[in-house]
Amino acid sequence: MSANTSIIMPGERVTLVEDAAKNKRVILGPGLRRLDDKVVASKAGPLRHKEPNTFWVDNYQRRYVPARGDLIIGIVKARAGDLYRVDIGSADMASISYLAFEAATKKNRPDLNPGDLLYARVLNANADIEPELVCVNSNGKSGKLGVLQDGFFFKCSLNLGRLLLRESCPALAALTEELPYEIAVGVNGRIWVKAHSMRETVGLANAIMALEQAGYSEIEKICGNLNGVVQA
Amino acid sequence: MSKTDAESDAKDKLRKMHCKFNPLSRCDGSVMYSQGATVVIAAVLGPIEVKTQNLSIEGSYLECNYRPKAGLPQVKERIREAAIRDVLELAILSEAYPRAKMSLQVQELEDRGSIDACALNAACLAMLIGGLPLKYSFAAVHCIINEKGDFVLDPEESDTLHQRASFTFAFDSVDGDLLLVQTKGAFKIAQFNDIECLCRQASAEVFEFYRSNIAKYHSTREDQPATTIESGHKDLPMET
């Protein structure tokens, strides 16, 4: 992914994308919209490009807007008949059917209580409907989806979530060298971590939150310091 | 552009602007913005849940709150809120999030002149950092005609004591169109036109301030150092 780091502001016409669109089909990601034959930005940030033909604006954002296929962490808020209402940080509450869990049947309902953390996938989402979640894939297997037990949950910006989910991010690998831990990263700006002791868990959470402010080059330093901080 | 001679009190430069992004942690985007000694905090939340009475299937509902430094909000604060909401309604892409609410809160920390323009600029910055979709960004500029008849751009509070007229203009970033005009006092139309030109030129500086601060914010959180390609963006429209 090449980073073309010129900042574009809302309302600006992005001729780079228009030129690319002359020869081939171009995908406009978040922050870009089409006005007749012009491509105009609607958010402020660096313009990013992924080969071969995807462009988007990488703006800073904390509020999550649900999109189909996203893996998110939600908090179960209430039970409404056959559905659970889950808070995923968007404008609307999401819903998840009790059948959308592995090995769930009408007689064998999942054991979910308000306050439980759920790692789920967004099944259906657009601006006009309430998002729906599932904890199984299309084969009926849950894999890593489902309830997250114990651990520590905190919120961050969407950018940090995406940074951690990148394959090339050294942060998680660097942290693995320091201490054993479990982590779930939701693209809705929510992260869950679990380590052996409370001290380690809190130290880990602080290290990840510090990544939000630090630049890329600082990742090694922050992760390297962790063991010393936890032992002290 | 008419200006009186060098010995006059005419001022055609904006005061120094500063901004700090995200001083508040519980909202979706916030900014502490200052122009000279006037300081304002603006925070946005959105898209969030909306009350049924305000629900619209065509777009988001825009809520605007302005709080003065001391005391409860009075009628003049409501007038400011209406002015801010009018500009925001033009700038926000409300079709993106129907049945939701975008909420803007502006808290005045210090009013030393040009508070309307300051509040609007802070609102724009908060929207930019909060990731709300906009059709264009906007900048507001305040100018007065002092008792001698000079045009004073972005005056200090002391300059406004015996002003003859005061003007606040808001411009958009794409074509430089007027989004808001607020005037007070007695003036000739020729003066109005001249001041509008003066303010439009000054707004270019505000847009440049937005761009450079957003670029700085992203570059401190970047993988590679961000290079803002100055020639990449088209020149802002100005009347010279």
Side-chain angles (χ1 to χ4, degrees):
Chain A
M1 175 172 76
S2 70
N4 175 6
T5 52
S6 54
I7 300 284
I8 53 175
M9 301 291 277
E12 258 183 53
R13 212 176 139 172
V14 191
T15 43
L16 184 72
V17 179
E18 285 176 30
D19 293 338
K22 286 194 185 117
N23 306 330
K24 55 187 175 180
R25 216 183 103 214
V26 146
I27 300 179
L28 296 180
L32 293 174
R33 66 190 180 112
R34 184 177 161 181
L35 267 185
D36 303 324
D37 56 351
K38 294 189 290 186
V39 173
V40 166
S42 60
K43 302 202 178 166
L47 181 67
R48 301 265 189 231
H49 172 222
K50 183 172 172 187
E51 299 295 332
N53 56 354
T54 311
F55 295 88
W56 73 95
V57 178
D58 187 13
N59 68 305
Y60 180 80
Q61 196 164 329
R62 286 194 191 163
R63 174 68 50 176
Y64 174 62
V65 174
R68 200 169 83 112
D70 281 351
L71 287 165
I72 49 89
I73 298 183
I75 306 177
V76 177
K77 283 292 181 196
R79 183 150 157 223
D82 290 341
L83 306 170
Y84 291 98
R85 288 243 163 265
V86 180
D87 167 28
I88 59 173
S90 62
D92 290 321
M93 287 259 245
S95 61
I96 184 166
S97 159
Y98 73 87
L99 290 170
F101 293 86
E102 187 166 357
T105 61
K106 285 194 190 162
K107 299 279 172 67
N108 181 19
R109 287 167 187 249
D111 180 27
L112 276 189
N113 297 307
D116 282 350
L117 284 170
L118 217 52
Y119 195 59
R121 186 183 287 277
V122 179
L123 177 69
N124 244 336
N126 69 42
D128 301 306
I129 61 167
E130 276 177 4
E132 273 177 63
L133 309 173
V134 283
C135 270
V136 275
N137 63 17
S138 43
N139 291 332
K141 299 282 175 234
S142 64
K144 296 275 164 42
L145 305 176
V147 179
L148 300 167
Q149 301 283 7
D150 306 322
F152 178 63
F153 163 90
F154 59 96
K155 295 185 192 174
C156 62
S157 70
L158 306 189
N159 305 59
L160 179 62
R162 290 199 294 264
L163 176 75
L164 289 175
L165 286 169
R166 273 192 228 163
E167 282 151 12
S168 59
C169 177
L172 296 182
L175 288 169
T176 311
E177 287 170 30
E178 299 292 323
L179 72 165
Y181 65 95
E182 236 183 290
I183 189 170
V185 178
V187 297
N188 57 339
R190 288 151 178 227
I191 299 181
W192 171 88
V193 288
K194 184 160 118 175
H196 282 314
S197 72
M198 179 154 72
R199 221 196 158 91
E200 287 178 16
T201 310
V202 173
L204 183 59
N206 284 335
I208 295 176
M209 285 196 260
L211 291 176
E212 173 117 46
Q213 297 302 323
Y216 211 62
S217 47
E218 313 258 321
I219 289 182
E220 300 290 337
K221 199 159 57 155
I222 291 176
C223 300
N225 269 338
L226 184 60
N227 211 15
V229 169
V230 169
Q231 299 300 345
Chain B
M1 181 176 71
S2 84
K3 246 204 310 190
T4 48
D5 57 11
E7 288 99 325
S8 72
D9 291 327
K11 178 162 88 88
D12 64 345
K13 290 270 175 293
L14 294 172
R15 292 177 293 176
K16 196 125 184 12
M17 297 181 276
H18 284 290
C19 85
K20 178 170 184 272
F21 286 121
N22 291 322
L24 306 174
S25 58
R26 285 193 161 266
C27 53
D28 298 334
S30 58
V31 67
M32 189 187 293
Y33 172 75
S34 74
Q35 235 176 288
T38 305
V39 189
V40 143
I41 284 193
V44 289
L45 271 171
I48 54 175
E49 211 179 315
V50 67
K51 278 197 267 208
T52 329
Q53 68 192 85
N54 296 323
L55 194 139
S56 162
I57 55 170
E58 284 158 3
S60 20
Y61 168 70
L62 184 54
E63 182 193 47
C64 215
N65 273 317
Y66 178 93
R67 297 215 57 139
K69 178 173 157 192
L72 288 170
Q74 307 287 343
V75 175
K76 73 172 192 282
E77 275 75 41
R78 297 279 170 253
I79 297 176
R80 285 212 174 99
E81 283 172 12
I84 298 177
R85 192 173 45 244
D86 286 342
V87 177
L88 250 40
E89 259 167 19
L90 294 169
I92 274 195
L93 200 62
S94 61
E95 306 87 65
Y97 304 124
R99 293 166 34 252
K101 172 165 93 167
M102 311 284 205
S103 171
L104 172 78
Q105 314 286 328
V106 180
Q107 169 69 56
E108 169 195 324
L109 294 179
E110 192 67 53
D111 176 9
R112 296 295 175 91
S114 308
I115 186 68
D116 294 287
C118 213
L120 273 165
N121 292 341
C124 186
L125 276 167
M127 303 236 144
L128 290 175
I129 201 66
L132 301 197
L134 297 173
K135 292 184 199 143
Y136 38 73
S137 51
F138 53 89
V141 184
H142 179 237
C143 186
I144 61 161
I145 303 181
N146 69 6
E147 48 189 340
K148 289 199 212 135
D150 303 325
F151 299 162
V152 183
L153 188 68
D154 197 17
E156 294 286 347
E157 202 183 11
S158 46
D159 297 334
T160 64
L161 283 173
H162 301 290
Q163 64 189 23
R164 280 198 211 156
S166 115
F167 305 81
T168 303
F169 291 101
F171 302 98
D172 82 43
S173 60
V174 177
D175 298 316
D177 289 337
L178 258 184
L179 298 175
L180 177 84
V181 179
Q182 279 188 322
T183 62
K184 205 165 63 166
F187 53 89
K188 295 189 168 38
I189 287 294
Q191 290 173 312
F192 177 91
N193 291 332
D194 291 336
I195 288 186
E196 192 200 327
C197 286
L198 182 62
C199 289
R200 188 176 266 115
Q201 284 188 295
S203 71
E205 197 184 322
V206 182
F207 288 126
E208 194 45 50
F209 177 80
Y210 292 168
R211 180 186 297 274
S212 60
N213 276 279
I214 298 269
K216 215 188 305 181
Y217 188 75
H218 278 100
S219 73
T220 57
R221 313 170 67 254
E222 265 298 308
D223 329 52
Q224 294 104 34
T227 47
T228 51
I229 299 175
E230 289 304 316
S231 57
H233 66 91
K234 65 177 178 51
D235 288 340
L236 294 163
M238 290 195 314
E239 288 169 32
T240 45

